[in-house]
Amino acid sequence: MSFYQIGLEGMPKLLDCCDGRVMDYFQKKNYTDAFQRMYQEHLPTLDAVEKGYEEAEDKEQFLTDMADQVSAYAAQKLEACKGKSKKDHLQMDLNLTMAVFVLPMVLEFNGDSSKPLSEELIASWKRRFPKSNISAATYTSIEEGFHKQWCYITTAVCRTFEKPDDCYELTLLRDYRDTYLAESPGGEELISTYYDVAPSIVKHIDQQPDSGEIYRGIWDEWLAPCISMIESDQKEECREHYIDMVHTLQEKYFRQ
């Protein structure tokens, strides 16, 4: 069997890597082990794609064929899913699987084909699902995010306002996390729980057509008051306000 054929058969299987459990695996306690297991399982496919890419006369068409197999397979899964609510839920799961497992696996291989393949996967996905907004991140950046960013939701809001990662608001909240929350009773448990739900909340808000307005509302209702509380040394009040925000957003946007 040619490397081209191995790639065509193997690439869609990357999308089944989570077996319907993407949010179980996309948690701080599970992500590293899950990703490494999936990467090793699909390494033969990525290796075949790399070798096929090296042999291909038309490299651009080769990558398009590989990427289109993935997006076409996703479309088939959605077509077989009955009911709008179930379709919407499946679409979000597929988008998340692409963003936090498939694309990072492709980039983790780090071959000559890896970066252009990730770009073509995103382009093919966008052609098939115009409302989607997936982007390519590396495994390392995602894994580090679980350890560095208590401020997933705040980061997403600041991104809406085009604020940098080291902006005043994020710096203030990270300092609050490290110097107050982590040292307070139950603080580490609270941070761990937040890691488990916040990435899903952000991913699902990002799929909404009015995500920008949602994030602006989060700023007005939750984050701006919380930041004011920290500035006024009302640290416990900030803790309670932030917990209320996470619970409210969890009920509205979190998906298992």
Side-chain angles (χ1 to χ4, degrees), residues 216-235:
R216 288 181 178 86
I218 292 172
W219 172 264
D220 292 338
E221 184 175 358
W222 301 104
L223 293 178
C226 196
I227 289 169
S228 295
M229 291 172 190
I230 296 173
E231 292 172 329
S232 302
D233 202 31
Q234 297 175 293
K235 295 179 180 178

Side-chain angles (χ1 to χ4, degrees), residues 222-253:
W222 301 104
L223 293 178
C226 196
I227 289 169
S228 295
M229 291 172 190
I230 296 173
E231 292 172 329
S232 302
D233 202 31
Q234 297 175 293
K235 295 179 180 178
E236 188 59 27
E237 288 84 348
C238 172
R239 171 191 170 110
E240 296 304 318
H241 193 69
Y242 210 94
I243 290 172
D244 288 344
M245 178 191 76
V246 174
H247 286 169
T248 299
L249 296 178
Q250 182 178 3
E251 289 179 5
K252 192 168 185 179
Y253 297 109

Side-chain angles (χ1 to χ4, degrees), residues 28-200:
K28 180 184 178 182
K29 60 185 178 183
N30 297 330
Y31 182 68
T32 296
D33 288 344
F35 179 87
Q36 295 298 338
R37 173 177 55 78
M38 294 172 192
Y39 178 70
Q40 291 300 320
E41 180 181 345
H42 295 284
L43 192 54
T45 293
L46 299 173
D47 185 60
V49 170
E50 175 73 5
K51 291 175 179 175
Y53 178 76
E54 291 172 353
E55 295 179 350
E57 293 185 8
D58 189 339
K59 297 185 185 301
E60 184 175 341
Q61 186 61 52
F62 176 87
L63 294 180
T64 297
D65 292 348
M66 297 297 120
D68 284 350
Q69 283 289 100
V70 177
S71 62
Y73 180 58
Q76 290 173 7
K77 291 172 75 74
L78 285 164
E79 183 65 27
C81 186
K82 304 302 180 184
K84 185 179 185 305
S85 178
K86 289 184 178 180
K87 280 183 183 290
D88 289 345
H89 186 90
L90 178 58
Q91 179 72 75
M92 286 190 238
D93 280 355
L94 291 170
N95 288 347
L96 187 57
T97 300
M98 284 290 292
V100 301
F101 287 107
V102 176
L103 289 166
M105 279 194 281
V106 168
L107 292 172
E108 184 73 6
F109 187 81
N110 198 29
D112 290 340
S113 66
S114 299
K115 189 173 187 300
L117 176 57
S118 71
E119 293 170 350
E120 187 53 43
L121 281 164
I122 293 171
S124 179
W125 198 264
K126 187 70 174 179
R127 289 193 296 269
R128 187 81 63 169
F129 311 111
K131 294 182 180 180
S132 68
N133 189 32
I134 65 172
S135 59
T138 64
Y139 158 73
T140 299
S141 67
I142 294 172
E143 197 275 336
E144 287 179 350
F146 279 113
H147 298 280
K148 291 182 177 179
Q149 293 183 346
W150 181 63
C151 308
Y152 275 101
I153 295 171
T154 310
T155 298
V157 173
C158 288
R159 184 183 65 214
T160 298
F161 291 107
E162 299 184 350
K163 292 179 178 289
D165 187 66
D166 61 350
C167 68
Y168 170 76
E169 292 84 0
L170 284 170
T171 301
L172 183 72
L173 284 168
R174 286 169 182 155
D175 181 69
Y176 170 76
R177 171 199 64 192
D178 295 336
T179 62
Y180 177 80
L181 190 62
E183 300 299 326
S184 65
E188 289 289 355
E189 182 180 355
L190 173 60
I191 293 170
S192 177
T193 300
Y194 177 83
Y195 277 135
D196 285 345
V197 301
S200 178

